Amino acid sequence: MQMTSAGKQLLLRAGAELGLNLEPHIPQFSTFFDLLTEANQTTNLTAIRDEEGIILKHFVDSLTCLTYPGLVEGISVIDVGTGAGFPGLPLAIVQPSTQFDLLDATQKKTAFVARVIQTLGLKNARALWGRSEELAHQNVKRETYGAALTRAVASMATVAELTLPLVQVGGFVLVQKGAEVEHEVAEARGALSKLGGQLEQIFHLQLPIIGDARTLVVLRKIAPTPHQYPRKPGVPAKNPLS
C-alpha cells in the first residue's frame, strides 16, 4: 500500500496547521508509510492501518511535539517506548540536526525502526533495543539526554520513573497524553519529587484536521535522580511511586 496523492495533500494540510512546511519531507514520509503498511501485514506494529489514521494519528500526532518550543534543533533526545517509531521518527525527519535514540523493549519493533532509518538515510536517528529501567543504569546513558519523549499509556508516575533518570539536569521530558491529565499529574507529584523532576507545563491542543484532543505534559529535571531509580524492570509499571 502506497501513500496516495490525497494522503500527501492531507499531510501537507495538517503540517500547515502546525506551522510546518512538510513539502521537502513528503518523499521520506511516503516511504515511511509504505514500509509501515507493508511490515504491518506480517508484524503487528500498529492497530491503525488506514491511510488517514496513519497520517494523522501517527505522523502528525508525533509532530505536535514541536508545539513545545523547548524541542529545539541540536539537542539529544531519547524516545522511550517508541514502538514503530513514534514520535521519534517523524521528528527526526523534520529536525535533521537533532539526534534521536529510539528505544523499545520489543526487538521486532526496533528491527523495523532500524530498517526505516536505513532506508530513509536518517543520519540523526538510531534504534535501541532494551528497557529504560536497565539503560538508565548505564553510565554512558544515565542523565545524558537533553530531552526524553514518550507517547504514554502508563501512569504519569511510571512514565516519570522510566524517563527522568535518562535526562540531564536542566533537561525535560515531553509526555504525549490524551485529553484529561490533571488528576494523574497531581497524583504523580510525590514521584516527581523523588526522581528530581517537577511539573513545568501542560499544553492542551487538538490534532489537526480531525480535532481530537491531545495533551503535552512537560516535566523539568531540576535535580539528579537518586541512584536507586529506576527500579528493576517491570516494577515501575506494577508499583508506581507515590
Side-chain angles (χ1 to χ4, degrees):
M1 179 178 174
Q2 294 184 324
M3 187 187 291
T4 65
S5 295
K8 295 173 184 177
Q9 289 302 313
L10 181 67
L11 181 56
L12 288 172
R13 284 174 52 212
E17 287 194 22
L18 292 175
L20 301 171
N21 175 21
L22 298 181
E23 183 74 44
H25 308 295
I26 287 295
Q28 287 181 307
F29 276 110
S30 182
T31 300
F32 185 7
F33 177 89
D34 297 346
L35 292 170
L36 179 60
T37 53
E38 177 190 6
N40 214 37
Q41 294 177 9
T42 56
T43 304
N44 185 24
L45 295 171
T46 171
I48 299 173
R49 296 174 180 267
D50 63 292
E51 182 178 59
E52 179 178 301
I54 290 171
I55 291 170
L56 296 178
K57 296 182 180 180
H58 280 325
F59 294 170
V60 177
D61 183 68
S62 297
L63 295 175
T64 61
C65 290
L66 295 174
T67 60
Y68 175 60
L71 196 61
V72 296
E73 297 262 6
I75 64 174
S76 61
V77 180
I78 184 165
D79 177 3
V80 176
T82 190
F86 305 109
L89 282 179
L91 293 168
I93 290 172
V94 302
Q95 287 202 173
S97 68
T98 300
Q99 177 64 46
F100 290 88
D101 283 354
L102 298 104
L103 175 70
D104 202 272
T106 303
Q107 192 170 22
K108 67 179 181 181
K109 293 181 178 178
T110 54
F112 170 75
V113 170
R115 182 185 171 206
V116 175
I117 290 169
Q118 182 178 28
T119 304
L120 299 186
L122 296 175
K123 305 298 185 184
N124 63 324
R126 57 184 171 181
L128 299 179
W129 174 44
R131 300 185 67 112
S132 58
E133 297 101 319
E134 296 171 333
L135 188 71
H137 285 290
Q138 297 179 14
N139 290 334
V140 293
K141 293 296 184 183
R142 187 176 183 86
E143 297 189 326
T144 60
Y145 292 94
L149 311 174
T150 184
R151 294 174 76 177
V153 293
S155 73
M156 193 63 64
T158 298
V159 169
E161 188 172 355
L162 296 178
T163 55
L164 280 169
L166 291 162
V167 176
Q168 61 197 21
V169 174
F172 64 91
V173 178
L174 194 59
V175 186
Q176 291 190 286
K177 281 280 192 178
E180 302 297 329
V181 297
E182 278 76 9
H183 180 69
E184 187 179 332
V185 170
E187 288 187 333
R189 288 188 185 275
L192 291 174
S193 179
K194 291 176 182 178
L195 296 164
Q198 69 177 20
L199 174 67
E200 178 171 297
Q201 199 166 0
I202 298 175
F203 290 89
H204 293 282
L205 53 94
Q206 290 184 324
L207 203 57
I209 311 294
I210 54 177
D212 288 1
R214 294 287 190 272
T215 308
L216 294 178
V217 180
V218 184
L219 309 177
R220 182 64 61 177
K221 182 75 170 279
I222 59 172
T225 301
H227 288 293
Q228 66 263 37
Y229 302 117
R231 292 165 294 167
K232 292 182 179 179
V235 176
K238 292 177 182 176
N239 185 24
L241 290 172
S242 58

